[in-house]
Structure formats: structure tokens, C-alpha cells
Amino acid sequence: MNAFIRTALRSLLLVSLTVTTALADEARRDLIIDTDPGADDVVALLLALASPDELNIRAITTVAGNVRLEKTSRNARLAREWAGREDVPVYAGSPRPLLRTPIYAADIHGAEGLPIPVHEPAKGLAPGSAVTYLIDTLRAAPPKSVTIAMLGPQTNLALALIQAPEIVKGIKEVVVMGGAHFNGGNITPVAEFNLYADPHAAQVVLASGVPLTYIPLDVTHKVLTSQARIDKLQGLGNQAGKTVADILNEYVKRDMEHYGLSGGPIHDASVIAYLLRPQLFSGRSVHLEVDSREGLTFGQSVPDWYDGLQQPKNVTWITEGDAQGFFDLLTERLAKLR
Ligand code: BDR
Ligand code: CA
């Protein structure tokens, strides 16, 4: 082969490699994960952090919710450390909801927000607030390019939208773990925790007109653990499988007992599974309203399932999920971690 042909072939190879990388980058979803870890949040984070081929995680932003902000921020950094993904920045956001008195869920997640031993991770928080990060990032983003996985109370995004409503143009979609309708609530008879913890924030996000998908208790209470499914994670033989199995063995106990379920839900992880494998889930476009009036229905989600109000549809409300498909995906991805 003469020198000319060799150089031409090398250039061709380089061009094709560049094109392949650009196409792969284009296929990856730009994602910000807003979260209040929380046991199920940590499982969701590990699933996302183990999926770099599909998800370009720009940042994790934290909010007060299951426990106070210092602890949710520490737990988000722990998940990042466990996944070996210290390249992903963690920004701390709002220490309290927009208007209501703060509530926490330490009875479900443990005093530290996790039912396993915790430590202070080596890598700290990124400088600056999560709200400023959201504003700056979404303002600079190409139109409809960034997805937000919303795994806790929606306070950070609501604050960002109040300060800079134009950032809505940078958002591709927001996928929320929140709400309950057919299933009934988990913090009151009708309200789900994330909406109850900051219903005013959920209303701000709804009113912004951003494309929204809701993963409510209606579906998360169908995607349940079983001892065999947890044992399979344990059996992976790596640290990630053991960590998630240890978390789940404790975390699911209370829900199994309280609801008389055969296994426990891992609510927030369904948001990430939905982003990775939407075909595992199904639902319907509906008009949704969130109640923030004081009283029995505070924090209740009201999806107009039969379109009785004839109002514009503002969310996709998911009701069905393939539980085995979810656990196959979780097991496959956790196997990739250390
Ligand atoms: C939601 O509330 C929190 O306790 C969980 O982390 C999840 O986001 C379920 O209602
Ligand atoms: Ca959560």
C-alpha cells in the first residue's frame, strides 16, 4: 500500500470515528436529576449513573424532602461515589418548600435518609446553588434539549421558573415521581409524599407548560420487589448489587407491612427506567391539577382520567409498568458498576 492510500484510509477512519461519536452523543439524553435521597432515590441514581450510553447526566441537584438538605446532599454524593462517577457534579438546592411547613420522611428512610451505614464522601458539593445552576444551564441550553428527572419535591425547579420563566424553552421534558390517584396516597389517604411536601412547587411547574410525565403511586405500587429479585441483585457479587440489596431489604419492610403488599415499591427508580426503556410503561394524556387548599385534600393530585372537565391535557399519567422488565434492567445495569 503506498503512502498516499495509507494517509487517505487513515483520514477516512478518523472521519467515521468522529461521526460515530457525534451520533452516539446525539442519542444520549442530556439529563439533570433533581432528588432528595432517600433510599429509592439512591437506587434511581445508581441505575442512572450505570447507564452512560443513554444518559448524559449533566448534574445531580438536591432538595430537602425525605430528610434535611445536608443529608440529601450527602446521600447524593454517596451514590455518586458508590457508582464511581465523581465526574458528575452535585449542587445543593432549596433547604425548604416554597410556602408550607417542611415535612420529612425519616420514619420511612431512616434518620440519615438511608437504612444502611453512611459516611462523609471524599468529594464535596459543586459551588453555587442548584437553583442558579438550573437557571444558567437551561438558559444556555439549545431549545427543548434538557430532560429533568424529578425525584423529590419540585421546589428547585419551581424557584428557577419563578425567577427566570424563559428557561422553560431549554427543557425537553420533566419526568416526575409524584402523585397518586387509583392507588390512594402514602402520606395522607389521598396525597403522595413529593406533592404533599411541596404542592405549590408542583403547581408552578404545571403552570409553566413544560412537557410533563407523572410516575405516580398508581404504577410504582405495581413494580414491586420480591425476595428473589433482591437476592439476584445481591448475587451480582459486586459492591453496587450488595448496597442496593441491603437498602431494599430494609426499605421495603414498612410498605409491605403497611399496604399488605407481596413486595415493596422503589418509586424513584421507575423514573430512570422510564427514560431508559419507555416501552416498559404505559399511561394516558390527561389534565392534572394539584390541590394546595388547607384540609383533607392538601397535596392531592387530581388527574381527569375520563376527561370530564374537557381541559387541555398537561401531563402523561403513567399507570402500568412491566415489573420483571424493570428488575431485569436494574440487575443488568448494576452489574456494570464496581
Ligand atoms: C416518594 O416520596 C419519597 O419518600 C420517595 O423518595 C419518593 O420520591 C414516594 O412517595
Ligand atoms: Ca425521592
Side-chain angles (χ1 to χ4, degrees):
M1 202 187 303
N2 70 29
F4 174 75
I5 297 181
R6 247 198 323 267
T7 314
L9 280 177
R10 214 175 285 134
S11 312
L12 250 179
L13 191 69
L14 211 67
V15 170
S16 94
L17 271 178
T18 316
V19 171
T20 316
T21 315
L23 282 176
D25 272 354
E26 214 165 275
R28 291 169 84 215
R29 188 189 277 269
D30 264 10
L31 181 68
I32 296 172
I33 305 177
D34 193 74
T35 178
D36 64 333
D40 58 325
D41 300 74
V42 165
V43 180
L45 286 169
L46 291 174
L47 176 59
L49 292 163
S51 305
D53 290 346
E54 293 103 329
L55 304 178
N56 177 29
I57 307 176
R58 303 272 302 264
I60 297 167
T61 53
T62 60
V63 68
N66 286 319
V67 282
R68 288 177 185 276
L69 182 67
E70 298 72 34
K71 291 184 178 178
T72 61
S73 303
R74 190 262 328 270
N75 293 346
R77 291 182 295 122
L78 269 177
R80 172 179 72 171
E81 184 174 285
W82 287 330
R85 290 292 311 274
E86 277 94 344
D87 56 301
V88 177
V90 177
Y91 293 88
S94 182
R96 49 165 300 133
L98 291 189
L99 297 170
R100 68 143 20 259
T101 313
I103 55 153
Y104 306 101
D107 52 329
I108 313 285
H109 298 261
E112 295 301 322
L114 279 175
I116 58 170
V118 294
H119 62 267
E120 177 59 24
K123 186 157 183 194
L125 287 167
S129 129
V131 177
T132 310
Y133 170 80
L134 285 169
I135 294 174
D136 293 347
T137 305
L138 296 171
R139 216 179 236 155
K144 300 183 193 307
S145 62
V146 180
T147 298
I148 301 176
M150 186 68 74
L151 310 184
Q154 300 176 41
T155 323
N156 287 336
L157 184 58
L159 285 169
L161 285 164
I162 290 166
Q163 289 175 55
E166 75 280 5
I167 61 171
V168 80
K169 73 167 180 20
I171 302 176
K172 181 182 165 85
E173 61 174 319
V174 180
V175 183
V176 170
M177 192 285 128
H181 182 59
F182 299 105
N183 182 85
N186 61 358
I187 182 86
T188 76
V190 293
E192 177 279 331
F193 177 82
N194 288 338
L195 294 194
Y196 186 76
D198 199 345
H200 306 99
Q203 288 173 330
V204 171
V205 175
L206 260 179
S208 74
V210 72
L212 274 163
T213 297
Y214 264 68
I215 309 276
L217 300 184
D218 300 346
V219 59
T220 65
H221 275 229
K222 292 175 182 163
V223 181
L224 301 176
T225 61
S226 67
Q227 202 52 55
R229 286 169 174 163
I230 297 178
D231 290 348
K232 203 158 176 197
L233 297 171
Q234 178 87 50
L236 286 174
N238 62 1
Q239 195 53 46
K242 179 179 174 350
T243 302
V244 170
D246 289 351
I247 289 174
L248 292 179
N249 274 325
E250 277 307 309
Y251 175 63
V252 300
K253 277 185 192 158
R254 190 252 177 203
D255 277 348
M256 287 173 67
E257 194 182 311
H258 186 72
Y259 298 104
L261 293 169
S262 60
I266 323 174
H267 313 282
D268 295 337
S270 278
V271 169
I272 306 300
Y274 174 82
L275 294 173
L276 294 169
R277 298 263 167 87
Q279 64 275 20
L280 295 177
F281 297 87
S282 60
R284 186 190 276 196
S285 288
V286 296
H287 178 76
L288 173 69
E289 297 201 15
V290 174
D291 196 357
S292 64
R293 293 170 302 177
E294 290 295 330
L296 210 53
T297 58
F298 183 80
Q300 181 176 5
S301 45
V302 186
D304 185 11
W305 191 250
Y306 296 107
D307 203 18
L309 299 173
Q310 298 271 293
Q311 290 296 307
K313 317 260 185 295
N314 53 2
V315 307
T316 301
W317 186 266
I318 302 295
T319 53
E320 300 300 327
D322 173 347
Q324 193 51 51
F326 167 88
F327 280 95
D328 288 346
L329 176 67
L330 181 64
T331 310
E332 174 214 311
R333 294 305 157 99
L334 292 184
K336 294 178 193 278
L337 296 178
R338 55 194 183 189

